[in-house]
Amino acid sequence: MVDHRSDVTIDHHQKAGTEVRILAAIPRSGSTLFMRIFREAPECAVTSRLILMGNYGSEGAFLPDYTIFHDPASSKVYREAQASGKSILISKEELGHEFSKGECDYEIFPDQACIKRTKPAFLFRDPLRVFDSWQAVGWTDLESFLIAYRTLYGTWSLNNHSAIAVTYEELISSPTQVIERLCQHWGVDFSHDLLSFQHPFGDFLFASERERRIYSVDNPLGLFNTVQSNKTINADITSHNLLTMEEKDRIEQNLGGIYMSTYGDRIQIVRDALLQKTHFGFDLDDTLHEFRKASGTASSSIFGYLTEHSAATLEELRATYTNILAEATSNAFADGKTSEDYRKERFATLMRAHEIEVTDEVLQHMLQLYKTSLQAALTLKPGALELLLKLKKLGKKIILITEGPEDAQHWTVQTLGIADMVHVLITSNKSGKTKINGLFGVALKELHIKAKDLVFIGDNMARDILPAEQEGIMAVHYSESESVRLQLEVLRVNSLWKLSELLASSADQIEYKFGSEPPV
C-alpha cells in the first residue's frame, strides 16, 4: 500500500530540520544498548516504540501508530527533539512477543517512502540467544518468537536497498566498526565517545508517562538490568542455558540460515578459509555428543546402586566421585589402559572411600550397569549429524582427535552411528600424547598433511583451541554459553548448525533462509 500522505510529509520533514531514523528489532536483541550509544551523540535524540505503543490503551485490536511517519510535528517526542535542537530523532521500534495480540507480524513501515526516508537499520541477534533471553523473562511461546524473527528478516530482505542489517554479536566484538557503519548510514558524526556512556540510563524522550516509567522507574522483569548496569558495551554476557535440545534444533533449522545471511559478505573470508581445508578435525566428547550429560546419567546409576548397599547418600557419593575423576583423568588417558581398567579403578576407589566391600562380582555388575546407562544416554549434539553429512558431501575428510580410552572412543563413535563418516580416530590413549603435549603433531604426521590443511573444532579452549593453534592449525571454538564470533582471529560458534551454515553455498542460503529443510 502506498500512502500519498508521505509526499506531504517529505516537504514538512525537510523544512523541520529533524530527521527520523528507525532501529527495528525484536525484543531482547540488544536494541536498548543502541539507544544508550546514540544518546551520547550530541545531534541525536532517542526514543522508543512510537509505532508499537502509540495506540496503547485504545479499544479493539492492535493497530500500529504511523504518526511519526505521516505527521511527525504532532508527535510529542518529535517536537521535543526539535525544541532541543536535535537534527536526528532515533526511534527503537520493536515487534512484540505475543502473536495472539497481533504484535509479532505487523508492518513496521506503512510504505516504501517511509523506509527510504528513515533509512532503517535492522538489528539481528543470534536467535538461540534471543529466545534464551525471552525464556529468562518468562516469554516461552516459541511460535510467536519464530514469527517475529522471520517477520523482521522478511521486512529487511525486501528493503535492503534502503536499509542495513547489523548484528548484536558484531557490536559486542567490534563495536567501533559497527557503530561507524551505522553512523555513516544514518548521517551521524562518529566519535569514540559514543561507546562510553555519560548520560544516565533512561535519559531518553518518551511519548507517554507509561513508557517513561518502564525505562526509568519500573524496569519490569529486569528487562534493562544489563544495559543499565554497564557504562560501556559488555562483551561477556553468558547464556542462561534455558533451551532444550528440541528448541535449539527447531530454532536453528528455522532461523539459523537467515541469521547467518544478515552478515552478508562480511563473513565470506571465514567461509573461504574453511572451505579451503581438506580435513576437518573434531574433539568428540561434548563437541559432537552430549558426553557430560550421558556420563552423568551413567554415574548416577552407579550412585543409586551403591546407596542400596551402603549408608552413603547420593550427594556424598557424587562429591567423592567428582574428586576421584579429577585425579584419575589428569593424565588424559595417555597411559594406554582400557576403559574397563579406568572404570574399575574409579569404582573401587569410590567404594573404599565409603567403606563398601569391593568384590569382582560387584565391580562387574557396576561396569555393566554403567555401560548400559551410558549407551542409553548417548546423544549427538544438535546439528552434528547434519554437519558431518555436509562435510562428506563436500568431500572433506573427518578426523576425530580426542583424549580418552581408545576402546571407549571407538565404541562411542559406533554407538552414535557416525563411524562410517569418520576417516581416522586419533586418541591420547593409543599415542601416549595429550593434546597439550603433542597429540596434534601426532595427528598431522599420521595423516601425512600440513597444519594448513586441517581445521579443528573443540569445546575446550585450553585443551582444544590453544594447542591446535600453537601447532599452526586453524581452530573453531564450540562454546554453547558464549556469543558467536565469526572472525578469523576469533572463530567461535555456539551450535554446530552455524558451522554448517558457514560451509553453505549461496544457493543453499537462498533455499534455506525462509526455513525450509536445511540442506545437507
Side-chain angles (χ1 to χ4, degrees):
M1 177 187 74
V2 177
D3 192 325
H4 296 292
R5 288 179 294 175
S6 58
D7 298 331
V8 177
T9 306
I10 290 174
D11 292 337
H12 171 85
H13 190 73
Q14 290 172 339
K15 293 176 183 177
T18 299
E19 299 196 18
V20 176
R21 299 289 181 259
I22 301 295
L23 176 70
I26 64 172
R28 316 303 297 156
S29 294
S31 53
T32 307
L33 177 57
F34 281 82
M35 292 177 68
R36 288 211 77 175
I37 291 168
F38 281 93
R39 178 61 186 91
E40 299 299 323
E43 68 268 45
C44 293
V46 180
T47 188
S48 174
R49 306 197 306 174
L50 301 180
I51 301 166
L52 176 66
M53 301 305 296
N55 289 319
Y56 178 81
S58 301
E59 294 183 2
F62 164 77
L63 286 174
D65 183 356
Y66 296 132
T67 301
I68 194 62
F69 297 121
H70 296 144
D71 188 14
S74 67
S75 166
K76 171 178 173 287
V77 295
Y78 186 85
R79 293 195 303 272
E80 289 178 0
Q82 276 190 309
S84 57
K86 303 298 183 181
S87 60
I88 293 176
L89 172 64
I90 298 171
S91 183
K92 175 189 82 172
E93 296 298 338
E94 291 181 332
L95 297 167
H97 68 275
E98 293 184 88
F99 178 70
S100 61
K101 294 183 178 180
E103 299 174 348
C104 295
D105 59 348
Y106 74 92
E107 293 185 6
I108 296 177
F109 302 93
D111 54 50
Q112 288 291 320
C114 294
I115 293 171
K116 184 176 180 179
R117 187 168 64 252
T118 58
K119 299 181 179 180
F122 287 77
L123 173 61
F124 295 93
R125 186 183 183 189
D126 177 1
L128 290 181
R129 299 301 300 276
V130 181
F131 193 60
D132 181 62
S133 187
W134 275 37
Q135 291 215 9
V137 297
W139 302 345
T140 60
D141 185 358
L142 180 56
E143 295 302 325
S144 289
F145 171 69
L146 295 175
I147 291 168
Y149 204 103
R150 290 161 67 88
T151 298
L152 185 73
Y153 178 83
T155 305
W156 168 71
S157 64
L158 291 172
N159 299 285
N160 56 22
H161 54 284
S162 301
I164 65 170
V166 294
T167 70
Y168 175 82
E169 285 70 28
E170 288 178 291
L171 172 68
I172 62 176
S173 63
S174 305
T176 299
Q177 293 91 316
V178 171
I179 298 305
E180 277 187 321
R181 178 169 166 254
L182 189 49
C183 283
Q184 183 178 16
H185 179 66
W186 277 345
V188 176
D189 291 332
F190 173 78
S191 166
H192 288 282
D193 293 340
L194 299 184
L195 306 178
S196 180
F197 310 142
Q198 303 303 315
H199 290 86
F201 181 78
D203 187 22
F204 309 126
L205 300 182
F206 299 106
S208 68
E209 175 62 15
R210 179 178 182 274
E211 285 291 289
R212 186 194 70 79
R213 287 193 61 86
I214 286 174
Y215 281 87
S216 303
V217 181
D218 299 335
N219 186 18
L221 305 175
L223 293 175
F224 310 121
N225 286 351
T226 300
V227 67
Q228 185 174 14
S229 61
N230 288 282
K231 292 293 185 181
T232 188
I233 296 170
N234 184 358
D236 298 319
I237 302 170
T238 57
S239 170
H240 302 285
N241 291 318
L242 297 176
L243 304 188
T244 65
M245 288 180 61
E246 292 74 18
E247 287 170 332
K248 290 178 182 180
D249 263 336
R250 181 111 186 269
I251 289 169
E252 288 287 37
Q253 289 187 58
N254 279 273
L255 304 179
I258 66 176
Y259 165 71
M260 296 290 280
S261 73
T262 63
Y263 284 81
D265 59 8
R266 298 191 300 281
I267 57 170
Q268 191 59 45
I269 188 172
V270 177
R271 177 175 286 119
D272 290 343
L274 288 171
L275 290 173
Q276 288 172 6
K277 306 301 179 183
T278 57
H279 293 67
F280 278 67
F282 291 88
D283 175 49
L284 180 58
D285 297 342
D286 290 314
T287 297
L288 286 180
H289 79 105
E290 300 278 2
F291 174 74
R292 285 188 185 90
K293 292 180 181 178
S295 62
T297 298
S299 297
S300 293
S301 70
I302 297 300
F303 305 150
Y305 172 77
L306 290 178
T307 58
E308 297 173 0
H309 298 83
S310 73
T313 66
L314 284 172
E315 292 73 19
E316 291 168 342
L317 291 165
R318 185 173 286 110
T320 303
Y321 196 67
T322 298
N323 294 330
I324 293 170
L325 276 178
E327 184 175 346
T329 60
S330 59
N331 70 345
F333 308 98
D335 52 10
K337 297 178 184 177
T338 68
S339 59
E340 187 171 297
D341 292 335
Y342 291 119
R343 290 168 190 167
K344 270 186 179 180
E345 290 176 2
R346 295 198 297 261
F347 296 160
T349 302
L350 176 63
M351 294 169 72
R352 292 189 188 103
H354 291 276
E355 300 180 346
I356 304 171
E357 183 181 2
V358 179
T359 67
D360 287 340
E361 182 182 357
V362 170
L363 284 177
Q364 287 300 322
H365 176 76
M366 292 170 65
L367 286 171
Q368 187 57 48
L369 176 61
Y370 184 92
K371 188 172 183 178
T372 300
S373 300
L374 183 65
Q375 183 173 12
L378 283 178
T379 308
L380 285 169
K381 288 281 189 180
L385 180 60
E386 290 77 8
L387 173 58
L388 297 178
L389 289 170
K390 179 177 284 293
L391 290 171
K392 294 297 289 183
K393 183 178 180 181
L394 291 170
K396 309 298 183 180
K397 286 185 167 60
I398 297 168
I399 315 300
L400 300 185
I401 305 173
T402 177
E403 293 176 326
E406 177 88 0
D407 64 318
Q409 302 299 66
H410 276 286
W411 175 83
T412 298
V413 170
Q414 289 285 350
T415 303
L416 290 169
I418 60 173
D420 291 344
M421 289 183 271
V422 175
H423 178 62
V424 176
L425 171 63
I426 299 169
T427 69
S428 59
N429 187 240
K430 183 177 180 179
S431 69
K433 296 286 188 180
T434 69
K435 286 177 178 173
I436 61 175
N437 74 357
L439 185 59
F440 287 103
V442 169
L444 293 176
K445 289 179 182 177
E446 185 170 332
L447 295 166
H448 304 290
I449 61 172
K450 297 179 180 179
K452 66 179 180 65
D453 300 319
L454 175 65
V455 57
F456 185 76
I457 300 97
D459 69 295
N460 190 301
M461 179 62 73
R463 302 199 72 88
D464 291 324
I465 306 308
L466 295 179
E469 291 179 337
Q470 287 166 5
E471 197 68 41
I473 297 167
M474 179 181 180
V476 180
H477 188 201
Y478 171 59
S479 179
E480 295 178 358
S481 64
E482 297 184 84
S483 296
V484 176
R485 289 283 295 273
L486 301 180
Q487 300 163 329
L488 284 179
E489 316 86 72
V490 183
L491 185 49
R492 182 172 65 220
V493 296
N494 56 14
S495 83
L496 297 177
W497 284 109
K498 289 187 175 66
L499 195 51
S500 289
E501 279 303 313
L502 278 172
L503 299 170
S505 67
S506 299
D508 284 339
Q509 287 185 314
I510 292 171
E511 175 187 356
Y512 179 27
K513 68 183 181 180
F514 282 108
S516 59
E517 287 298 314
V520 293

